[in-house]
Amino acid sequence: MRIAFIVGKFPTVSETFILNQIVGLIERGHEIDIYAQKPGDTAKIHPDVERYQLLDRTYYVPEQRPANPLIYVIKAIWLLLANFPKNPVAFLRSLNVFKYGKEAASLRMLYTTFSLLPFLSNKPYDIIHCQFGPLGFLGMYFRTIAASRAKVIISFRGSDLTMYLSQYGDDIYKKLFEKGDCFLPICKHFKNKLISLGCNEKKIIVLRSGIDCNRFSFKTRYPHPDGKVRIVSTGRLIEKKGIEYGIRAIANLTKMNLDLEYNIIGDGSLKPDLQQLIQELDVGNIVNLLGWKQQHEVVQILNDSHIFVAPCVTSKDNNQEGIPNVLKEAMAMGLPVASTYHSGIPELVEDGVSGFLVTERDVDALTEKLGYLIAHPEVWPEMGAAGRAYVEKHYEIGQLNDYLVEIYEKLLIT
């Protein structure tokens, strides 16, 4: 199969879940091209991006539309004259106001056609897979302008069913639900959300976001001879990750004279605020903001840790997680976890079995559960083993990529 992946940024170290799908499909013999709206941060690139030469498969398709109305029209005319010979049928289609109405009359389709010239120049695709809901609109443009018979699939992963709806309203995906061929929420929680928004349940298939368990070696956790308990979190330093509440819980535990170390892997807009909080709580000798790390560095830090904490919350703009991959990675490595009743996380973490769950923003409850884990290291091996087994059964990327191929194949014969 020939498959076009539509993404926001590429490459980006925080979206390994997309990279895992791309690599898995390539390894299964399928042709993949990547269409990104923006270049990602190339300062730190995942090894698979270089190993599979993915930048050579990547095209950037930003919509270059001036804000000034006069310049907007003049540039549109110039684009049409300069590029019409490259694909006259597509450009004529983009101006068909009788069929596409305002989208064509506003010249938006013309600008989009120019952005998609690399797509139009390539051989036809069987599948157009849009990662995140809003990119589904671009996928529909791809298919319309190219007059393609490709099936359009849209994955929903978190902010696209939470924050995005708060900004644009619950009807924003109405046309997408009508014209899209298949919708892939990453958890049952999001499937129910799609149904409540009016999506046809027959078009919805839950496709979990997986990890390669082979890259995260299981290790039974025991207390370290030095007596220090090492706790770790991984994720962008943004509100929905809830790192603030992890820091506050650790600060509470230090009052009990416990020998702790809390390492936080990641970077983001809240870093200055978290640094200030660490200073105010006087835990600078215990809490470490480590910044971004390469995957092998993350694995080493997790390997040296005892407990993983993911205190996720719904942010003020209604942004939510799906199910964080870092939580799956920690569980695959045998770490007992402490997290929250947030979005799809209860579908991964069974409270009292592989870790503990608490209500969002409940620092006292998080303190209590972390305190229990610290005081009872005898439960670490059993919880760690339960977490590994669950991730292997439900979130192994190999199995999920096989399932994704099955979904594609079934769509192509319908």
Side-chain angles (χ1 to χ4, degrees):
M1 286 181 284
R2 298 201 73 249
I3 304 161
F5 264 63
I6 303 180
V7 302
K9 290 183 179 181
F10 194 84
T12 172
V13 294
S14 64
E15 294 183 354
T16 54
F17 44 86
I18 296 175
L19 183 61
N20 287 341
Q21 284 187 349
I22 292 170
V23 168
L25 291 168
I26 292 172
E27 289 178 341
R28 285 159 176 77
H30 302 289
E31 295 182 55
I32 307 294
D33 287 326
I34 303 161
Y35 294 85
Q37 292 181 310
K38 297 178 182 178
D41 181 8
T42 55
K44 286 196 172 184
I45 294 179
H46 192 284
D48 281 348
V49 174
E50 297 178 340
R51 183 178 300 119
Y52 293 89
Q53 299 179 317
L54 296 185
L55 293 180
D56 294 340
R57 303 170 180 259
T58 303
Y59 304 90
Y60 296 99
V61 290
E63 291 191 35
Q64 304 172 20
R65 294 185 291 163
N68 183 291
L70 179 60
I71 297 175
Y72 180 91
V73 174
I74 292 173
K75 184 174 180 181
I77 295 171
W78 178 83
L79 288 175
L80 182 62
L81 294 174
N83 296 283
F84 185 81
K86 297 177 182 178
N87 199 316
V89 174
F91 278 100
L92 286 174
R93 188 178 296 115
S94 73
L95 297 173
N96 188 342
V97 296
F98 299 103
K99 187 172 183 179
Y100 302 114
K102 291 182 180 180
E103 293 296 319
S106 67
L107 302 178
R108 181 179 179 184
M109 288 188 72
L110 175 64
Y111 273 92
T112 305
T113 300
F114 170 71
S115 295
L116 301 183
L117 281 175
F119 177 87
L120 298 171
S121 301
N122 287 331
K123 292 186 295 182
Y125 293 98
D126 300 299
I127 299 290
I128 300 172
H129 192 156
C130 311
Q131 301 286 342
F132 294 100
L135 295 174
F137 298 107
L138 187 55
M140 301 307 299
Y141 270 122
F142 272 42
R143 182 165 70 179
T144 298
I145 291 169
S148 170
R149 295 183 179 181
K151 300 293 185 179
V152 176
I153 297 174
I154 300 100
S155 288
F156 286 89
R157 299 185 173 279
S159 61
D160 47 6
L161 281 175
T162 54
M163 179 176 64
Y164 192 75
L165 295 180
S166 295
Q167 292 175 331
Y168 298 101
D170 287 354
D171 292 333
I172 187 65
Y173 293 129
K174 186 176 180 179
K175 289 186 178 180
L176 207 60
F177 292 157
E178 293 173 0
K179 297 181 179 180
D181 296 292
C182 185
F183 303 92
L184 304 179
I186 62 168
C187 58
K188 295 176 183 177
H189 176 75
F190 286 160
K191 175 183 178 179
N192 293 334
K193 181 66 175 179
L194 286 171
I195 293 171
S196 73
L197 293 171
C199 186
N200 183 346
E201 185 174 358
K202 294 180 180 179
K203 290 185 175 183
I204 303 172
I205 301 172
V206 174
L207 180 70
R208 299 180 180 95
S209 179
I211 65 168
D212 184 353
C213 290
N214 292 326
R215 295 187 177 185
F216 302 94
S217 299
F218 176 80
K219 174 183 173 181
T220 302
R221 306 292 156 161
Y222 298 106
H224 196 276
D226 66 7
K228 189 183 293 293
V229 177
R230 292 170 174 83
I231 301 169
V232 61
S233 291
T234 304
R236 287 175 293 154
L237 304 185
I238 57 176
E239 186 183 357
K240 70 177 180 179
K241 299 297 183 179
I243 299 298
E244 169 193 344
Y245 305 99
I247 294 172
R248 292 187 182 278
I250 294 298
N252 286 344
L253 291 167
T254 61
K255 298 173 185 177
M256 305 174 192
N257 296 317
L258 298 173
D259 191 4
L260 305 177
E261 179 180 284
Y262 183 29
N263 292 312
I264 301 167
I265 305 167
D267 208 339
S269 59
L270 290 184
K271 184 175 182 179
D273 296 331
L274 295 177
Q275 288 174 325
Q276 182 176 348
L277 178 64
I278 290 168
Q279 184 176 357
E280 290 174 356
L281 296 175
D282 194 25
V283 288
N285 61 326
I286 294 169
V287 181
N288 306 302
L289 299 180
L290 302 181
W292 284 120
K293 298 292 180 182
Q294 293 280 14
Q295 189 176 52
H296 71 275
E297 297 173 302
V298 174
V299 168
Q300 186 57 55
I301 295 168
L302 293 176
N303 199 51
D304 294 336
S305 302
H306 301 103
I307 300 166
F308 188 89
V309 58
C312 304
V313 301
T314 302
S315 63
K316 294 181 180 65
D317 59 5
N318 199 37
N319 197 0
Q320 294 179 19
E321 292 283 358
I323 304 177
N325 266 13
V326 293
L327 196 49
K328 301 164 197 169
E329 293 166 359
M331 292 170 65
M333 293 186 67
L335 285 159
V337 301
S339 191
T340 54
Y341 288 104
H342 171 88
S343 192
I345 290 176
E347 297 175 34
L348 170 68
V349 180
E350 187 176 356
D351 186 42
V353 177
S354 54
F356 292 111
L357 297 174
V358 302
T359 304
E360 293 182 22
R361 292 187 168 85
D362 191 337
V363 175
D364 290 340
L366 185 59
T367 302
E368 178 188 350
K369 296 304 183 182
L370 285 174
Y372 179 88
L373 287 171
I374 292 166
H376 297 276
E378 69 274 9
V379 305
W380 297 353
E382 185 175 354
M383 282 189 161
R388 172 72 185 202
Y390 196 86
V391 171
E392 280 186 331
K393 182 176 181 180
H394 297 284
Y395 294 92
E396 169 55 48
I397 190 62
Q399 298 173 15
L400 293 171
N401 281 337
D402 287 340
Y403 186 36
L404 179 59
V405 172
E406 289 180 22
I407 292 170
Y408 288 165
E409 291 174 342
K410 288 180 181 178
L411 284 173
L412 291 176
I413 62 174
T414 56

